[in-house]
Amino acid sequence: MFIISRQRFVSIANGTRTVRGYATFASGDYVPAVLHLKGGQSFAGRSFGAPKSVFGETVFSTSITSYTESMTDPSYRHQILVFTTPMIGNYGVPKNTAPKDHHDVGVVLEASGIQCAGVVVADVAEQYSHHSAVESLAAWCQRHGVPAITGVDTRAVTRLLRDQGTTLGRLAIGQDAVGPAPEETEYWDPSADNLVAQVSTTKPYQLNPSGDVRIAVLDFGAKANILRALVRRNAAVTVFPWNYDFNKVRDQYDGLFLTNGPGAPTHCMEAAQILRKTMDEWDKPIFGICMGHQIIGIAAGLEAYRMTFGNRGHNQPVLALASSGSITAGRVYVTSQNHQYALTLQDPFPHGWEPFFINCNDSSVEGIKSTIESGKKIWGVQFHPESAGGPLDTIEMFTDFVDECRAIKARSTQSPMLDTRPLEPDAMIP
């Protein structure tokens, strides 16, 4: 049984009574909120976001900082995000606009708006302090129509999710919070939908068109910092929809990049089939991150599976099994991750491929690469080298990729010219 008051959170379970005071004072009107899990558990608290209820997939993140970047990551589409860090919101939310040039891509965060379905925290900081902050976390959630709950024992939620796996949930707000929990048949599973199609751009657009190397990006739900990492290395970037037939224009580009994205990779088989043709017939560099890594793996002949609770956080250690560019075999790198699916580790690996990284905690596949004997230059990693937030142990993989594209371009005796006029000068990052 869980009881909530304005001043403290009380948890009564198995005859043990635990009282934990709020780190921040709850100002304003008290609006009840409850997080219901399909497993039958309910966690009561106070609403501080939009006054609406939502269904979604309940996941947890161990990230200590960068809650604004996590909440705007398209990979969290339709997910109720539980932060394990006790206090969230203490540095507010910045103004989310930036120039579009050789340094920035139009936004400060990872997308123009909040992508997760709801937010669950132990204590929300209603007083914030940061030189770039313009509003509180509560005001931001309310403005974007995202419900949020504070006063929840997020440690207990996290232990449940670790034991029973990622779980469907409902964030009930206001009058919905005082009603009964949903029936099992009422819970909605967002993974049944093609979430990539919801967050991908629908039209091609260009960034930094004057860059000295031309890179095509397949957008499965790209974090803005992936695009920043490319343009800041002076790449002329063209972003295409996730299922665009790249083979029609591939000779105009020096490299192909596949981004992160939400949901199950099985919804993107169309992209994997197109990519298989690209990999068979095209000899220029290809790099994929997160969902992009899974699409590369499927196109190479590997299978993807759903993990119990996935990896979400900024402290996932991965072991390099091979050397390539800035990566040294045998070294452990600390990485930022956000994924529910992974590639199957099999022996033998498909011909022309080898494991690149493996997770030090759960031994899941964290990267694959083409072998030297294959003559290809293809890499895929499950983690996010560009972080935002998180460690920058592997950020130079972007430099490796862009430099390899330049080297291929320099060695090419014939390179068709690309029309560098912006295709969509006003296009915004989805």
Side-chain angles (χ1 to χ4, degrees):
M1 179 174 61
F2 298 90
I3 307 171
I4 190 72
S5 71
R6 289 190 61 171
Q7 300 298 328
R8 62 185 183 176
F9 173 80
V10 182
S11 175
I12 304 174
N14 301 323
T16 302
R17 186 174 186 272
T18 304
V19 179
R20 177 169 56 81
Y22 282 124
T24 54
F25 180 75
S27 63
D29 295 333
Y30 171 76
V31 177
V34 178
L35 170 65
H36 296 294
L37 299 180
K38 190 177 180 180
Q41 304 86 2
S42 295
F43 297 83
R46 178 182 66 87
S47 168
F48 70 90
K52 72 174 187 179
S53 303
V54 296
F55 286 94
E57 188 177 43
T58 311
V59 302
F60 68 88
S61 171
T62 61
S63 303
I64 297 176
T65 63
S66 308
Y67 53 85
T68 49
E69 285 81 3
S70 293
M71 291 170 61
T72 53
D73 181 350
S75 291
Y76 280 115
R77 183 76 167 183
H78 289 310
Q79 292 183 330
I80 298 173
L81 179 55
V82 180
F83 286 102
T84 61
T85 298
M87 181 186 288
I88 296 293
N90 55 307
Y91 54 84
V93 179
K95 184 179 180 181
N96 193 21
T97 57
K100 278 190 176 182
D101 51 25
H102 65 282
H103 190 75
D104 281 305
V105 295
V107 293
V108 172
L109 303 176
E110 296 308 300
S112 58
I114 299 176
Q115 298 294 316
C116 61
V119 178
V120 180
V121 304
D123 289 312
V124 65
E126 297 183 352
Q127 299 292 328
Y128 62 88
S129 178
H130 193 276
H131 68 90
S132 65
V134 297
E135 61 184 332
S136 67
L137 176 59
W140 190 45
C141 288
Q142 292 164 13
R143 185 163 59 84
H144 284 274
V146 175
I149 180 175
T150 183
V152 170
D153 187 348
T154 53
R155 295 170 298 178
V157 178
T158 300
R159 292 190 65 174
L160 281 171
L161 296 179
R162 286 187 65 90
D163 291 341
Q164 64 190 33
T166 297
T167 303
L168 300 182
R170 189 193 193 208
L171 201 50
I173 308 296
Q175 289 300 312
D176 291 339
V178 299
E183 299 291 335
E184 281 196 15
T185 55
E186 295 183 79
Y187 286 93
W188 170 64
D189 185 359
S191 67
D193 295 348
N194 186 347
L195 304 181
V196 166
Q198 297 180 19
V199 297
S200 175
T201 184
T202 57
K203 296 180 180 179
Y205 64 93
Q206 285 190 326
L207 297 167
N208 191 34
S210 61
D212 65 359
V213 62
R214 305 177 180 100
I215 295 177
V217 172
L218 291 182
D219 176 17
F220 295 91
K223 291 176 60 181
N225 207 41
I226 289 176
L227 304 179
R228 279 190 215 103
L230 293 172
V231 301
R232 288 179 181 180
R233 286 159 178 78
N234 201 31
V237 174
T238 304
V239 183
F240 292 100
W242 68 277
N243 58 348
Y244 187 86
D245 187 357
F246 174 67
N247 293 306
K248 297 189 300 185
V249 297
R250 68 191 187 195
D251 291 336
Q252 301 179 38
Y253 295 93
D254 305 307
L256 173 64
F257 194 102
L258 288 77
T259 77
N260 65 294
T266 51
H267 290 299
C268 301
M269 296 306 294
E270 181 183 358
Q273 292 169 0
I274 294 171
L275 180 63
R276 183 178 293 117
K277 178 179 174 65
T278 305
M279 296 192 306
D280 288 343
E281 301 176 355
W282 202 57
D283 292 325
K284 295 180 180 179
I286 301 174
F287 188 19
I289 285 178
C290 199
M291 176 66 80
H293 155 74
Q294 295 166 17
I295 299 303
I296 290 175
I298 292 172
L302 293 168
E303 295 183 352
Y305 69 97
R306 182 182 174 88
M307 305 175 74
T308 302
F309 50 81
N311 289 325
R312 298 176 179 87
H314 297 164
N315 58 349
Q316 287 289 328
V318 301
L319 172 66
L321 303 178
S323 295
S324 178
S326 60
I327 301 301
T328 302
R331 178 181 169 183
V332 172
Y333 298 84
V334 181
T335 65
S336 176
Q337 299 193 20
N338 174 18
H339 65 100
Q340 186 68 52
Y341 293 81
L343 295 176
T344 300
L345 181 60
Q346 65 181 56
D347 184 21
F349 241 50
H351 179 70
W353 295 89
E354 62 183 349
F356 195 6
F357 293 93
I358 194 167
N359 190 290
C360 297
N361 291 331
D362 59 20
S363 299
S364 59
V365 175
E366 291 285 356
I368 62 174
K369 63 183 288 291
S370 56
T371 61
I372 295 176
E373 294 75 19
S374 71
K376 302 288 186 178
K377 297 287 186 178
I378 308 175
W379 310 265
V381 293
Q382 188 62 72
F383 52 86
H384 286 266
E386 85 292 347
S387 297
L392 298 176
D393 287 27
T394 57
I395 184 63
E396 288 307 311
M397 293 190 75
F398 278 91
T399 304
D400 297 340
F401 170 65
V402 175
D403 284 350
E404 192 63 48
C405 292
R406 287 196 180 97
I408 294 292
K409 178 182 178 180
R411 289 196 295 266
S412 177
T413 56
Q414 293 182 343
S415 179
M417 296 300 294
L418 170 69
D419 184 354
T420 58
R421 292 175 297 177
L423 296 174
E424 293 288 337
D426 299 322
M428 295 297 292
I429 295 172

